[in-house]
C-alpha cells in the first residue's frame, strides 16, 4: 500500500510539472507572466505535499497543512498578478469578501475540522474567492482570450478546492469526489498555463 501511494505521488508530481511546463512554454515574459509562473510552480509543490499525507501517516496532518499553505501562497501570487491588470479591484475585492463569507458559512455547516484547519480554511477560501472575483472583474472590464481562459481556470480551481474540502472534512469520503477534485484541479491549472499564450 505504501509503494502504491509513493507511485501515485510521483505520477501526480509529473502531471503537475506538465502544467508548469505549459506555462513556461506559453509565457510571453513580463511581470504578470512571471508571477503566474511562480503560482504554477507553487501549485506543483503543494500538490506533492498534499499527497505526502498518505505516505507519512504519522505526519499526515502536518503535510496537509503545509501543502495548503503553499497552495495559499500560489493563490496570493495569482491574485497579485491579476490585480496589476485590474481597473475595478476595489469592488471586486468587496464582492469577493462577501462571497467568501457566504461560502465559509455554508461549508462550516457540512464539515467538521480541528481549529487550525478551520483558521487556514477561512484564509484559504478568502484568497481563492478574491482571486476569482478579480478574475471575473478583469473579464468584464477587459474581455479577451487571456481574461476569459484565466477566469475559467480560476473558477475550476475554486470548485476543485470546495470538493476537496468537503471530501476531506465532510461526513463521508467519496471516491467520485476525489476523481472530480483531481480532474477540476488539473483542468484549472492547465487553463491558467494556457492563458499565458494570450497575455
Amino acid at each position: 500500500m505504501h509503494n502504491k501511494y509513493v507511485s501515485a505521488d510521483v505520477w501526480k508530481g509529473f502531471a503537475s510539472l506538465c502544467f508548469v511546463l505549459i506555462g513556461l512554454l506559453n509565457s510571453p515574459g513580463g511581470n504578470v507572466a512571471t508571477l503566474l509562473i511562480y503560482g504554477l510552480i507553487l501549485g506543483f509543490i503543494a500538490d506533492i505535499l498534499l499527497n505526502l499525507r498518505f505516505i507519512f501517516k504519522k505526519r499526515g496532518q502536518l503535510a496537509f497543512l503545509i501543502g495548503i499553505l503553499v497552495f495559499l501562497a500560489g493563490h496570493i501570487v495569482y491574485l497579485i498578478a491579476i490585480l496589476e491588470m485590474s481597473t475595478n479591484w476595489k469592488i471586486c475585492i468587496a464582492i469577493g469578501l462577501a462571497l467568501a463569507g457566504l461560502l465559509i458559512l455554508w461549508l462550516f455547516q457540512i464539515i467538521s475540522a480541528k481549529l487550525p484547519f478551520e483558521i487556514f480554511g477561512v484564509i484559504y477560501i478568502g484568497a481563492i474567492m478574491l482571486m476569482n472575483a478579480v478574475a471575473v472583474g478583469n473579464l468584464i472590464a477587459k474581455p479577451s482570450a487571456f481574461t476569459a481562459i484565466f477566469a475559467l481556470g480560476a473558477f475550476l480551481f475554486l470548485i476543485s478546492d470546495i470538493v476537496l474540502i468537503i471530501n476531506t472534512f465532510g461526513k463521508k469520503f467519496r471516491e467520485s469526489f476525489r476523481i472530480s477534485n483531481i480532474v477540476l484541479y488539473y483542468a484549472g491549472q492547465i487553463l491558467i498555463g494556457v492563458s499565458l499564450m494570450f497575455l
Side-chain angles (χ1 to χ4, degrees), residues 141-156:
K142 300 176 182 179
S144 68
F146 169 75
T147 55
I149 295 171
F150 184 91
L152 179 57
F155 178 71
L156 294 180

Side-chain angles (χ1 to χ4, degrees), residues 23 35 52 68 78-79 82 94 105 119 132 152 156-157 166 185 191:
L35 286 170
L52 289 180
I68 291 297
Y78 283 150
L79 177 59
I82 60 175
L105 288 174
I119 294 171
N132 271 265
L152 179 57
L156 294 180
F157 208 151
I166 293 173
Y185 167 70
L191 285 172

Side-chain angles (χ1 to χ4, degrees), residues 10-177:
V10 170
W11 281 109
K12 284 199 72 180
F14 176 76
S16 298
L17 183 60
C18 289
F19 61 65
V20 174
L21 292 176
I22 289 171
L24 286 170
L25 291 173
N26 287 312
S27 175
N31 192 48
V32 172
T34 300
L35 286 170
L36 293 179
I37 293 295
Y38 287 155
L40 290 169
I41 293 171
L42 287 168
F44 160 68
I45 296 169
D47 204 21
I48 294 173
L49 288 170
L50 285 187
N51 284 303
L52 289 180
R53 73 188 191 275
F54 298 116
I55 298 172
F56 302 104
K57 294 286 187 180
K58 293 182 179 180
R59 299 188 179 274
Q61 288 190 346
L62 179 60
F64 185 84
L65 278 175
I66 295 174
I68 291 297
L69 280 173
V70 177
F71 263 130
L72 172 61
H75 292 326
I76 292 172
V77 170
Y78 283 150
L79 177 59
I80 293 170
I82 60 175
L83 275 172
E84 290 196 17
M85 309 173 65
S86 178
T87 57
N88 53 3
W89 64 270
K90 291 182 180 179
I91 189 170
C92 291
I93 293 294
I95 292 171
L97 288 173
L99 291 174
L102 292 173
L103 178 57
I104 289 166
L105 288 174
W106 175 69
L107 284 173
F108 279 0
Q109 291 178 354
I110 61 175
I111 66 171
S112 177
K114 295 180 180 179
L115 183 59
F117 289 99
E118 290 184 349
I119 294 171
F120 283 134
V122 169
I123 299 171
Y124 185 89
I125 290 296
I128 192 168
M129 188 60 81
L130 288 178
M131 181 181 82
N132 271 265
V134 174
V136 172
N138 286 351
L139 174 59
I140 294 171
K142 300 176 182 179
S144 68
F146 169 75
T147 55
I149 295 171
F150 184 91
L152 179 57
F155 178 71
L156 294 180
F157 208 151
L158 170 64
I159 300 302
S160 77
D161 281 338
I162 292 172
V163 172
L164 173 64
I165 290 169
I166 293 173
N167 211 32
T168 302
F169 301 107
K171 295 178 180 178
K172 181 181 179 182
F173 178 86
R174 297 176 177 86
E175 185 64 26
S176 60
F177 277 29

